[in-house]
Amino acid sequence: MALIVQKYGGTSVGTTERIKDVAARVKKARAKGDDIIVVVSAMSGETNRLIGLAEEMTGNPEGREFDVVVSTGEQVTIGLLAMALTGIDCPATSLTGWQIPIETEGFYNAARVKAISDKRIKAEFAKGRVVIVAGFQGVGCGGDIMTLGRGGSDTTAVALAAALKADLCEIYTDVDGVFTTDPGVCKDARKLEKISYDEMLEMASLGAKVLQTRSVEFAKKYKVPLMVRSSFNDSSGTMVSEEDQDMEKVMVSGITYNKNEAKISVVRVPDRPGIAARLFRPLTESGVNVDMIVQNISHDAHTDLTFTVAKGDYKRAIELVRSEAKEFEAEDVLGDLDIAKISIVGAGMRSHAGVASMMFETLAEAEINVQMISTSEIKISCVIDEAKTEEAVRILHAAFELGKDDVKEESV
Ligand code: ADP
Ligand code: ASP
Ligand code: MG
């Protein structure tokens, strides 16, 4: 007998009809004799609605009470799915994060999973019941409800699969799997049969929202076999697993974009030891994550420093940097919210040259200016004008021959 974790996202449980479809799918899996844990998100649009209510109340909500409000969507879905399963003679028990408990730590609104007890879940299995778990939520050491950040139900599912040593974790969503790029932006995007944990980690953290980044970190760390597939059909999906030789042969696996960053430039900073430390320390201390950083070559003992932060942190970050920059007499601090980060990802970049130059040439031909560049072993990212995002995704997708019609028989 196997243990399977299935996770259904917002669109997959968007209406009571959809929840009945999910129940039928769960019953079918259960009929094979396996133990099943089902993790569900809030019904589509519900988390946004709850955030909207919190914003109406306080303008810029965060912290403990925000989590009390936004975690409720998932509780509705677990109850409804349990009713639907009971209605088709498939005994099921719904459980919230604190009933299990899923212990969390760190910050409200962006908590991390620390430990998961298997006691209650195993007791339900022993009674022959399917266990339905509310995604996105856990309980902190003080007993408070905490949420795991947007898209956090993916992490609930993978963390449960890791804790209970599940044989498979299936992420059911509204597309057929992981694509070469967002299928919502590029019609030509092609579904990948498989992708390595490392590539998926880069794609998720660089903007492909099909999996929350933390969920891929968990899957990689605990080697959880992860399958992304559609809840709307029976197609085979994408397997996320350890890298194999086929994956290395592929130069570029995918293209991602992220419109959620903003750029801050400190102009003519004195170029001497300790300045960067002083600039970034207040940001770290107030929980602002800095992503890309570029420092120019020094001219007459001065240099320019540019970096990016999440749009949500922009206001706080620029205020902190302005007050610091004033002290060491930087000429100016400039901000730009209209940027996007475009990235290409592929394990094969380790062994193939020329990927970066092809990316730059393709963007140049379309007269898209590259404002910042950063690279790792398996990715290259460029900051460009936000208005050019979709165009850049499409031309790069075509240039790297990632589309449906481009697949060649021989490996690259
Ligand atoms: P769920 O509600 O099931 O968690 P999400 O909306 O969080 O679903 O994630 C699925 C969406 O991710 C897709 O509808 C698609 O538009 C988007 N997406 C972005 N990049 C990719 C990609 N490379 N492959 C597949 N989907 C992607
Ligand atoms: N409901 C939460 C969200 O919309 C968590 C999730 O769907 O994964 O972000
Ligand atoms: Mg999601």
Side-chain angles (χ1 to χ4, degrees):
M1 192 172 38
L3 169 56
I4 314 286
V5 177
Q6 297 190 335
K7 178 257 169 178
Y8 293 90
T11 322
S12 305
V13 292
T15 61
T16 47
E17 279 313 306
R18 289 289 317 147
I19 292 176
K20 286 181 189 167
D21 286 350
V22 166
R25 207 177 265 274
V26 171
K27 186 178 177 182
K28 206 165 141 194
R30 175 77 188 120
K32 290 183 189 150
D34 296 334
D35 280 331
I36 313 285
I37 299 175
V38 187
V39 175
V40 284
S41 294
M43 295 166 82
S44 55
E46 181 60 10
T47 307
N48 287 345
R49 189 184 73 85
L50 294 166
I51 292 172
L53 288 177
E55 280 169 354
E56 272 176 39
M57 202 52 78
T58 69
N60 192 12
E62 52 181 30
R64 183 181 187 278
E65 305 310 332
F66 181 78
D67 278 355
V68 169
V69 174
V70 300
S71 61
T72 56
E74 274 69 12
Q75 186 166 332
V76 173
T77 322
I78 54 170
L80 292 174
L81 181 58
M83 289 174 195
L85 279 164
T86 311
I88 54 171
D89 294 325
C90 183
T93 303
S94 68
L95 294 172
T96 60
W98 53 268
Q99 283 175 306
I100 291 180
I102 296 176
E103 288 173 48
T104 49
E105 60 188 357
F107 298 100
Y108 291 111
N109 322 156
R112 297 162 74 92
V113 176
K114 186 175 138 202
I116 297 182
S117 164
D118 61 4
K119 212 168 136 210
R120 178 73 193 264
I121 295 174
K122 285 195 169 155
E124 296 298 330
F125 284 163
K127 290 186 248 170
R129 301 177 78 86
V130 168
V131 175
I132 306 168
V133 179
F136 183 49
Q137 55 176 257
V139 57
C141 62
D144 287 349
I145 292 173
M146 299 180 96
T147 61
L148 308 181
R150 297 308 304 265
S153 300
D154 296 331
T155 299
T156 306
V158 181
L160 277 163
L164 281 111
K165 303 197 171 46
D167 298 278
L168 180 63
C169 181
E170 296 177 302
I171 305 288
Y172 284 93
T173 184
D174 56 2
V175 288
D176 286 355
V178 180
F179 282 69
T180 47
T181 193
D182 185 349
V185 164
C186 183
K187 278 201 308 292
D188 206 27
R190 178 171 48 85
K191 193 199 81 176
L192 300 165
E193 291 307 312
K194 54 185 178 180
I195 185 166
S196 69
Y197 292 128
D198 284 333
E199 288 171 310
M200 193 62 238
L201 201 52
E202 290 283 12
M203 285 194 47
S205 67
L206 294 167
K209 75 166 186 164
V210 64
L211 285 174
Q212 199 198 32
T213 308
R214 289 279 304 144
S215 74
V216 190
E217 283 170 10
F218 259 107
K220 178 176 151 77
K221 186 166 174 195
Y222 296 99
K223 299 193 174 33
V224 177
L226 191 61
M227 171 71 95
V228 180
R229 59 196 308 184
S230 172
S231 68
F232 292 80
N233 60 47
D234 286 322
S235 62
S236 59
T238 302
M239 194 72 207
V240 188
S241 61
E242 298 222 61
E243 192 171 314
D244 64 28
Q245 282 179 341
D246 293 352
M247 293 172 182
E248 268 172 47
K249 286 186 202 151
V250 182
M251 186 162 69
V252 172
S253 297
I255 298 186
T256 60
Y257 63 92
N258 181 0
K259 294 183 177 181
N260 191 32
E261 288 194 19
K263 190 176 78 172
I264 297 175
S265 300
V266 193
V267 185
R268 281 187 63 80
V269 216
D271 192 10
R272 54 170 197 261
I275 293 286
R278 269 185 62 187
L279 262 180
F280 290 116
R281 193 178 305 123
L283 297 177
T284 315
E285 280 167 2
S286 70
V288 173
N289 257 331
V290 173
D291 181 24
M292 291 164 92
I293 305 177
V294 172
Q295 181 177 335
N296 294 354
I297 286 182
S298 172
H299 286 293
D300 31 303
H302 284 77
T303 182
D304 299 338
L305 225 148
T306 304
F307 59 93
T308 62
V309 296
K311 275 200 171 112
D313 288 336
Y314 170 76
K315 232 176 121 226
R316 196 153 41 116
I318 202 158
E319 276 163 18
L320 287 166
V321 169
R322 281 211 168 111
S323 82
E324 206 62 43
K326 204 186 264 168
E327 279 187 34
F328 46 71
E329 291 171 351
E331 189 177 289
D332 206 352
V333 177
L334 307 169
D336 186 354
L337 281 157
D338 301 323
I339 60 153
K341 184 168 71 174
I342 306 287
S343 310
I344 54 181
V345 176
M349 272 185 217
R350 289 196 196 103
S351 47
H352 291 78
V355 179
S357 58
M358 179 130 144
M359 181 178 194
F360 305 148
E361 273 161 30
T362 308
L363 293 173
E365 271 165 33
E367 300 199 355
I368 297 175
N369 189 35
V370 175
Q371 303 174 19
M372 293 171 85
I373 301 165
S374 84
T375 61
S376 81
E377 247 194 330
I378 62 165
K379 74 117 203 274
I380 303 168
S381 300
C382 293
V383 168
I384 61 165
D385 176 2
E386 184 177 350
K388 307 269 184 180
T389 310
E390 284 76 13
E391 184 189 354
V393 168
R394 287 187 209 111
I395 57 172
L396 288 168
H397 195 267
F400 285 99
E401 301 186 340
L402 294 175
K404 292 175 194 137
D405 301 330
D406 300 319
V407 191
K408 306 226 171 58
E409 284 306 309
E410 76 280 359
S411 307
V412 189

